[in-house]
């Protein structure tokens, strides 16, 4: 895959992640509702979302496709290190959220909601960081492929 295709793929993944975040946020709100039935519905939705979502179950810190992507090979070593650290922290937050979700009941959902919001914020920050990197390298993607040794 060339850098331009990799960038387009990453933008599509960010769009999918935005949809995931909307569903995740809605389920978190239900899990905080005032009545047990609605909280139970929220917990069920969160469990379904987490079960089918690679965004939560994926191994962020080991995401070699991201770290070795032709797109991110163009950024500085400092930016790549920042990306790797952010992905590691996302992996930890994801693990903590999934662990909390496994033991949360309708009796107490506040801790889960706090962790869920933290994870949600981290995911949004990660999207913003990656898109900032993409915007910085996009002119090179459109104008010059030779420095990558890739063909369009």
């Amino acid at each position: 895959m060339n850098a331009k295709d990799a960038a387009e793929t990453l933008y599509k993944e960010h769009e999918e992640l935005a949809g995931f975040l909307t569903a995740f946020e809605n389920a978190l709100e239900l899990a905080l509702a005032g009545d047990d039935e609605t909280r139970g519905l929220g917990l069920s939705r969160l469990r379904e979302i987490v079960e089918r979502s690679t965004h939560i179950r994926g191994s962020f810190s080991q995401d070699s496709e991201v770290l070795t992507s032709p797109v991110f090979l163009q950024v500085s070593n400092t930016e790549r290190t920042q990306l790797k650290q952010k992905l590691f922290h996302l992996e930890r937050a994801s693990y903590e959220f999934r662990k909390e979700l496994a033991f949360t009941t309708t009796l107490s959902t506040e801790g889960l909601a706090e962790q869920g919001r933290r994870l949600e914020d981290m995911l949004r920050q990660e999207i913003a960081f990656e898109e900032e990197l993409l915007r910085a390298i996009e002119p090179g993607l459109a104008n010059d492929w030779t420095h990558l040794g890739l063909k369009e």
Side-chain angles (χ1 to χ4, degrees):
M1 176 182 302
N2 64 39
K4 187 176 179 181
D5 290 342
E8 289 174 8
T9 298
L10 195 55
Y11 277 125
K12 287 177 186 172
E13 288 174 6
H14 288 172
E15 287 177 17
E16 291 172 11
L17 190 52
F20 161 81
L21 285 168
T22 298
F24 186 77
E25 183 178 36
N26 292 339
L28 272 178
E29 289 302 315
L30 290 174
L32 283 170
D35 63 284
D36 283 350
E37 186 176 332
T38 306
R39 282 194 305 270
L41 177 62
L43 289 173
S44 292
R45 286 190 183 168
L46 282 169
R47 288 183 176 111
E48 289 171 18
I49 289 167
V50 168
E51 180 62 32
R52 68 173 192 252
S53 174
T54 58
H55 303 299
I56 289 291
R57 291 183 304 120
S59 177
F60 297 107
S61 62
Q62 302 300 318
D63 196 345
S64 62
E65 287 182 28
V66 170
L67 296 174
T68 60
S69 165
V71 172
F72 294 119
L73 291 176
Q74 296 182 67
V75 301
S76 72
N77 286 335
T78 301
E79 291 166 325
R80 230 181 345 276
T81 298
Q82 285 177 314
L83 179 61
K84 189 173 184 173
Q85 288 172 338
K86 287 177 179 290
L87 293 172
F88 172 78
H89 291 296
L90 271 170
E91 177 66 21
R92 267 190 88 146
S94 172
Y95 170 78
E96 291 298 326
F97 178 80
R98 288 179 282 125
K99 189 170 75 172
E100 183 74 19
L101 180 60
F103 294 101
T104 298
T105 67
T106 58
L107 297 175
S108 177
T109 58
E110 293 82 16
L112 178 72
E114 182 180 322
Q115 287 186 355
R117 287 192 178 115
R118 179 174 173 251
L119 179 59
E120 181 184 351
D121 288 344
M122 291 175 77
L123 285 165
R124 290 186 192 285
Q125 290 172 12
E126 176 61 22
I127 291 170
F129 181 71
E130 288 181 5
E131 291 197 357
E132 180 182 319
L133 294 176
L134 283 169
R135 281 190 297 278
I137 63 172
E138 262 180 349
L141 295 179
N143 300 322
D144 182 16
W145 296 90
T146 58
H147 68 283
L148 291 175
L150 300 172
K151 297 180 181 176
E152 191 169 3

